[in-house]
DNA sequence: CAATAGATCATCT
DNA sequence: GATGATCTATTGC
């Protein structure tokens, strides 16, 4: 039949909770628990998916112990398998490197929606497994993209030189 | 090329 | 009622 649709995460951003000590005012969890941010304060290894600009969905992985806020936004994915099954907003877009290089595009490509909000990512149909880190692979660091407050914090991480990184 | 505008709605004040 | 952890198309140089 067919294998799973899969991709390698090549770009992420961290969003810290109010307990972190750093004042990350860009984080949704900055102002504490609300109906939306409840899952960010929940168990790690679960998905936080939210609607942005009324139009796109963004996938995060909850990354701190229960009761402490903190999550990782998945900003870009390098398609590995099942590319033909991925979905594009513009089917005629050229080049697979534009398929999943952006938080709003990768959810579209992988079929991730708010339906997955709160889903366990350590087992089940939507899983994340530990990355391979070949010798010589470098992780780049920079400020985060598209935020106004706390714009100086170096919390964006990406695989140096990877062409699927958003920029 | 770079800069900007518009689409569109859940969330919080 | 204002605001976005975005993206695409369009305009301008």
């Amino acid at each position: 039949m067919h294998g799973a649709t899969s991709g390698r995460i090549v770009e992420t951003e961290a969003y810290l909770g109010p307990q972190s000590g750093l004042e990350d005012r860009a984080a949704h969890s900055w102002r504490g628990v609300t109906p939306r941010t409840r899952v960010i304060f929940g168990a790690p290894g679960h998905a936080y998916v939210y609607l942005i600009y009324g139009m796109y969905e963004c996938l995060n992985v909850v990354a701190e112990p229960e009761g402490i806020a903190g999550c990782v936004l998945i900003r870009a994915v390098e398609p590995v398998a099942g590319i033909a099954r991925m979905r594009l907003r513009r089917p005629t877009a050229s080049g697979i490197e534009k398929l999943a290089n952006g938080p709003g595009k990768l959810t579209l490509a992988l079929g991730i929606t708010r339906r997955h909000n709160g889903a366990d990512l350590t087992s089940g149909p939507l899983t994340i497994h530990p990355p391979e880190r070949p010798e010589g692979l470098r992780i780049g660091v920079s400020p985060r993209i598209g935020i106004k407050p706390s714009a100086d914090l170096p919390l964006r991480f990406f695989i140096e030189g990877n062409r699927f990184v958003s920029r």
Side-chain angles (χ1 to χ4, degrees):
Chain A
M1 262 287 277
H2 62 264
T5 303
S6 64
R8 197 182 320 284
I9 296 170
V10 298
E11 179 184 352
T12 63
E13 283 176 0
Y15 286 88
L16 309 177
Q19 307 102 318
S20 68
L22 295 176
E23 293 202 349
D24 187 0
R25 294 175 135 76
H28 290 165
S29 58
W30 170 246
R31 301 187 185 277
V33 181
T34 69
R36 181 174 65 157
T37 62
R38 182 176 44 81
V39 351
I40 309 175
F41 287 84
H46 287 244
Y48 165 51
V49 185
Y50 70 94
L51 180 72
I52 183 69
Y53 297 113
M55 196 167 306
Y56 299 97
E57 330 234 5
C58 291
L59 169 67
N60 295 249
V61 182
V62 177
E64 293 287 350
E66 184 130 26
I68 300 184
C71 62
V72 174
L73 170 69
I74 311 301
R75 283 198 62 88
V77 164
E78 171 179 348
V80 169
I83 295 167
R85 253 170 283 129
M86 295 183 178
R87 294 285 173 268
L88 273 175
R89 184 174 190 75
R90 317 258 335 142
T92 55
S94 59
I96 63 168
E97 66 273 2
K98 303 203 174 201
L99 187 65
N101 63 340
K105 286 198 283 185
L106 74 89
T107 52
L108 208 52
L110 298 172
I112 294 167
T113 70
R114 280 164 288 169
R115 189 173 72 253
H116 296 99
N117 191 40
D120 182 5
L121 297 175
T122 64
S123 67
L126 190 63
T127 61
I128 292 184
H129 51 76
E132 299 168 23
R133 187 170 303 191
E135 197 63 29
L137 183 148
R138 315 233 65 114
I139 305 293
V141 183
S142 81
R144 295 170 295 183
I145 293 175
I147 53 160
K148 311 267 290 184
S150 302
D152 48 319
L153 295 176
L155 292 177
R156 172 173 174 258
F157 305 92
F158 56 95
I159 295 181
E160 204 75 68
N162 186 286
R163 76 181 197 280
F164 296 88
V165 169
S166 66
R167 60 170 199 188

